[in-house]
Amino acid sequence: MTDLDLLADRALSGEGEHPIDRDEERVLRELELAVAAVALAGVAQEEMPADVAERVFSSFREETLDPAREPLPEPHAHAPAPDLDVPRWVPWVAAAGCLIVAAFAWLRPVGVREVRVEVPVAVPAQPPPERSMSEERARLLADPSTVTLPFAATKDQASQGASGDVVWNQAQQRGFMRIASLAKNDPGAIQYQLWIFDAERDDKYPVDGGVFDVSSGEVIVPIRSKLAVRRPALFAITVEKPGGVVVSKRERIVLVAKPG
Amino acid sequence: MTSTPPADEALLPRVARGDKAAVRACIARYGGLVWSLARRFLRDPREAEDAVQEVFVDLWRSADRFDPEVSSEVVFVSMITRRRLIDRRRRTQRRLDTEPMPASEPEGHELHPERSAEAKNAARALEQLRPEQRQVLLMSACEGLSHDEIAKLTGMPLGTVKAHARRGLIKVRELLQGGSS
């Protein structure tokens, strides 16, 4: 089997672990475009239903290209408390420092030990048709039982200067991540993946919170874990291959948020 | 009232600038392709609906990476669509890994060269493949079937399926680039 065969397999399956050089990348892209052209010629096209088209258009309005999108507030700001008082900063800042240390200890690369995730749950940017993501998030925040956890950046190059928060409602098992200044990713090369560590589960088996992309300076990403999270202990974002992984080697952790 | 942009006008650069009219036009122009591929890849209409939305979100985000020097816009859209659908199919199968996938029959694969110049070129290249290469390549490209699934559906040995898919694709790439061998 030649290298070209391997690249052809990769273009067809979308799977491939091994790093490739610039020339191979070019060939892979050409092969992918060839498959795409074959798909174009081989599929009988039917019209997309009008309601689906409308939802697609809504998704654009709610995506990061929308200039009306609200700016990301400071990561420790809690929406229901508009008059953010300075003293509340202090424990968060202190906690963020401790958090990074704790997270590194917890999330150190596990070597050959594998981490299984029971039910991978994708978190594509699929905004609900009726309300924007920020409106959904605001509604969740209006529930007094919702907690807000600031993200702390690790030393990974992708998260230099990054910030944001997790809002999580334990009863509803729903939440949102709001992230600013995390490096944009090429979805064909890498994707970000959220992991939720549950204090009542073995930390070797975090719950997969889904994969997502960052295409601009600020994004809001829904968390839709289909596995019940009994006692969230840590939210961690890793860098993974496109489509995410079942087993994370935890080689690149970019952001972490920990309940107090 | 909005006018329809000329068919050869690239829309993605305008989408990348946040032009909502271009977004509408993009959905009108490529919605059928994305929807049809999603229906082929995923079978379940609800999955397909979610996937279509996911594909277009990816497209909005990738719009500024479209390079007309590298490919035509419709082929770029088809490539992004396949990538997303493969991811989605993989995740769906992962969720169902303890359950058998629904039985499916191989689709018939008529070629549709009339749709665009790119489709015409690809159809011409496909016609130069051996029939079994063409069959395997179309099943993989248009339905996202794995080599293993194709082997089960066609009764071909797995190694043969792999060889047909690879050789077929490499040949198509060569032909699309104007190669002669």
Side-chain angles (χ1 to χ4, degrees), chain B residues 11-58:
Chain B
L11 297 170
L12 290 176
R14 288 172 52 199
V15 169
R17 293 194 296 271
D19 178 342
K20 290 185 178 176
V23 170
R24 283 272 186 213
C26 199
I27 294 167
R29 186 184 291 176
Y30 301 121
L33 170 65
V34 175
W35 172 251
S36 304
L37 279 170
R39 293 286 284 120
R40 286 286 190 108
F41 271 62
L42 298 166
R43 311 286 169 151
D44 176 353
R46 291 190 64 83
E47 274 282 321
E49 284 183 22
D50 287 348
V52 163
Q53 201 158 327
E54 200 174 313
V55 167
F56 273 102
V57 166
D58 197 10

Side-chain angles (χ1 to χ4, degrees), chain A residues 5 9 40 55 122 213, chain B residues 49 84 91 115 166-167:
Chain A
D5 287 338
D9 282 351
L40 198 60
R55 281 205 294 278
D213 300 315
Chain B
E49 284 183 22
R84 273 287 152 213
R91 295 196 306 254
R115 194 169 304 130
R166 290 169 186 152
R167 294 293 106 202

Side-chain angles (χ1 to χ4, degrees), chain B residues 89 93 96-97 99-107 135-136 139-140 143 145-162:
Chain B
R89 198 176 147 87
Q93 284 178 327
L96 300 174
D97 60 0
E99 300 169 24
M101 288 295 286
S104 59
E105 294 297 323
E107 295 274 351
Q135 179 191 12
V136 167
M139 289 173 83
S140 179
E143 293 172 62
L145 296 174
S146 69
H147 292 155
D148 202 41
E149 288 168 320
I150 295 172
K152 283 177 185 154
L153 286 167
T154 60
M156 290 182 202
L158 180 58
T160 306
V161 168
K162 287 182 179 178

Side-chain angles (χ1 to χ4, degrees), chain A residues 111-253:
Chain A
V112 295
R113 187 180 67 171
E114 293 195 332
V115 179
R116 256 189 320 115
V117 178
E118 296 91 321
V119 181
V121 179
V123 185
Q126 293 174 29
E130 302 84 4
R131 284 185 290 270
S132 73
M133 205 74 78
S134 56
E135 285 170 335
E136 283 286 320
R137 181 180 175 280
R139 283 172 63 89
L140 192 65
L141 273 167
D143 183 329
S145 64
T146 297
V147 294
T148 304
L149 314 168
F151 266 130
T154 67
K155 290 181 179 172
D156 191 281
Q157 60 181 11
S159 57
Q160 295 312 297
S163 61
D165 58 21
V166 171
V167 296
W168 178 255
N169 187 293
Q170 180 61 17
Q172 297 184 35
Q173 292 283 298
R174 289 176 64 223
F176 292 89
M177 291 179 283
R178 190 161 50 166
I179 301 168
S181 302
L182 187 59
K184 294 177 191 176
N185 65 300
D186 174 357
I190 56 162
Q191 285 192 291
Y192 293 109
Q193 188 162 8
L194 172 69
W195 303 94
I196 308 170
F197 287 74
D198 187 336
E200 296 188 16
R201 296 176 191 271
D202 190 326
D203 72 36
K204 287 186 289 189
Y205 308 119
V207 176
D208 181 355
V211 295
F212 63 96
D213 300 315
V214 172
S215 61
S216 71
E218 302 162 6
V219 291
I220 296 178
V221 183
I223 302 170
R224 295 195 192 100
S225 173
K226 287 185 183 171
L227 265 192
V229 180
R230 296 175 200 127
R231 196 146 57 90
L234 187 73
F235 294 81
I237 297 172
T238 61
V239 175
E240 307 291 354
K241 68 179 183 178
V245 294
V246 178
V247 177
S248 176
K249 292 179 180 167
R250 309 184 195 184
E251 288 171 341
R252 291 187 63 190
I253 301 158

Side-chain angles (χ1 to χ4, degrees), chain B residues 36-85:
Chain B
S36 304
L37 279 170
R39 293 286 284 120
R40 286 286 190 108
F41 271 62
L42 298 166
R43 311 286 169 151
D44 176 353
R46 291 190 64 83
E47 274 282 321
E49 284 183 22
D50 287 348
V52 163
Q53 201 158 327
E54 200 174 313
V55 167
F56 273 102
V57 166
D58 197 10
L59 205 53
W60 310 148
R61 293 170 172 177
S62 308
D64 60 353
R65 288 202 290 274
F66 165 63
D67 181 354
E69 299 292 318
V70 175
S71 73
S72 67
E73 191 171 81
V74 67
V75 172
F76 179 80
V77 171
S78 177
M79 181 181 75
I80 296 285
T81 304
R82 280 196 82 259
R83 281 182 181 172
R84 273 287 152 213
L85 294 177

